[in-house]
Amino acid sequence: MTPSLRLERRIIIIAIAFVLVLFGLAALAINMFHVGLPTCLTDIKPFQKGELITHSPDHYEVHYVARMWEFDPEEVVVPAGSTVDVYLSTTDVTHGVILLGTNLNLMAVPGVVNYARVKFDRPRDYQLLCHEYCGTGHERMAAKLRVVDPATFKPNEPKAPVQQPTDPGYRLLEAKDCLTCHSIDGSESIGPTLKGIYGRKTKLANGATIVADDVYLRESIANPSAKVVNGFDDVMPKPELTEQEINALVEYLENLK
Ligand code: CUA
């Protein structure tokens, strides 16, 4: 064997050894830090709502939704010893997510879902932060992940549904995008909540106070600018609804206690 061949063989062996060491280090990192490799999933539809799903007492799945400038859910609690599958999506621009104190580091990219698995051994509070500049509220964008003692952990009770999704009135609210600006569970939004709207004493932008009755509801659906509720902007577009649809909506609202 000539000296140049011998040298070539040595270089190839060193290169292969180097690659093997790299793979070994990656495997070691996954084992030591309990963090799976981030994966970009293009076959899952990005989520619109954050969620914590319980697979078993020590296996959870979190759907994080990043949007300007918050994470949904804002707080997640799991017991120590849990494996958590983190799925991340965004409803607007690109955000980044880092879970301080762990190796979890993902990008929230429009159109796709990013995934990584984390295992938590000990109780501890973790901070979830956005690490990709996403506008003026970027540095406020944070959430909490709490790992608690399994003895004190209370499983999340599944929330009772507040509406019957089969109700024609509810289906209209969904179809006409009303729920983008009006909540039905009392939470704040761009428009007044629809929960308990019927019979509610309501102060208007012009200073008058009215009681939200059948006539008011019909007028406000057909012509939103007619009576604007105090504290809200006159931004609701006139919806295209048939007489029948308005009847169904009003009936649904009157029963939305
Ligand atoms: Cu989101 Cu920075």
Side-chain angles (χ1 to χ4, degrees), residues 99 104 156 160 164 174 219 228 238 244 246:
L99 190 62
L104 184 85
N156 302 53
Q164 313 83 32
E174 240 182 3
E219 181 184 40
V228 177
K238 270 191 192 176
Q244 225 180 352
I246 292 183

Side-chain angles (χ1 to χ4, degrees), residues 69 95-96 130-134 138 141:
W69 290 279
H95 300 271
C130 180
H131 66 66
E132 179 73 25
Y133 184 74
C134 53
H138 163 70
M141 199 168 155

Side-chain angles (χ1 to χ4, degrees), residues 1 23-24 43-44 68 72 89 94 103-104 110 129 133 141 144 147 150 165 169 171 209 216 224 229 245 248 252:
M1 202 185 286
F23 274 111
D43 52 342
I44 301 183
M68 292 177 201
D72 178 21
S89 53
T94 300
N103 263 7
L104 184 85
L129 295 178
Y133 184 74
M141 199 168 155
K144 226 188 217 177
V147 181
R171 285 214 306 266
T209 300
Y216 166 81
V229 177
E245 287 174 326
Y252 177 76

